[in-house]
């Protein structure tokens, strides 16, 4: 996997991660020694905790949140229970 990530990171193509870039912790933003360098990340429902940290753009690139059909009211109910 490390070799594939190194090769992918050297590509001149637009590098897009789905949900969270490989090798990046969604909670803390910590990265593995070799991780995917995303120009953009497509994530679902809401941003992950690490996506709002000060250095987030360096790790995740531009973040786009995509809906998957969960009603907003249900999300509010879930969040307030935690």
């Amino acid at each position: 996997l490390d070799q594939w990530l190194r090769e992918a990171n050297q590509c001149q193509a637009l590098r897009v991660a789905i949900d969270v870039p490989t090798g990046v912790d969604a909670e803390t933003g910590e990265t593995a020694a070799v991780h995917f360098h995303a120009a953009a990340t497509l994530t679902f429902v809401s941003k992950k905790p690490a996506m709002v940290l000060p250095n987030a753009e360096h790790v995740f690139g531009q973040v786009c949140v995509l809906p998957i059909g969960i009603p907003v009211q249900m999300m509010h109910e879930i969040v307030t229970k935690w």
Side-chain angles (χ1 to χ4, degrees):
L1 181 61
D2 285 358
Q3 182 59 33
W4 180 87
L5 289 170
R6 284 186 196 94
E7 290 178 20
N9 288 334
Q10 291 176 359
C11 288
Q12 296 302 310
L14 176 64
R15 293 184 304 274
V16 178
I18 304 299
D19 202 33
V20 176
T22 299
V24 177
D25 186 297
E27 296 290 321
T28 66
E30 291 181 28
T31 59
V34 179
H35 62 281
F36 187 68
H37 295 219
T41 300
L42 305 178
T43 194
F44 306 98
V45 181
S46 66
K47 289 183 176 182
K48 310 305 184 254
M51 292 176 177
V52 297
L53 296 175
N55 201 25
E57 189 171 345
H58 174 72
V59 177
F60 298 98
Q62 181 179 353
V63 176
C64 180
V65 178
L66 304 173
I68 59 171
I70 298 175
V72 174
Q73 182 60 35
M74 182 182 289
M75 289 300 299
H76 287 291
E77 291 173 15
I78 292 169
V79 170
T80 57
K81 287 181 183 181
W82 293 98

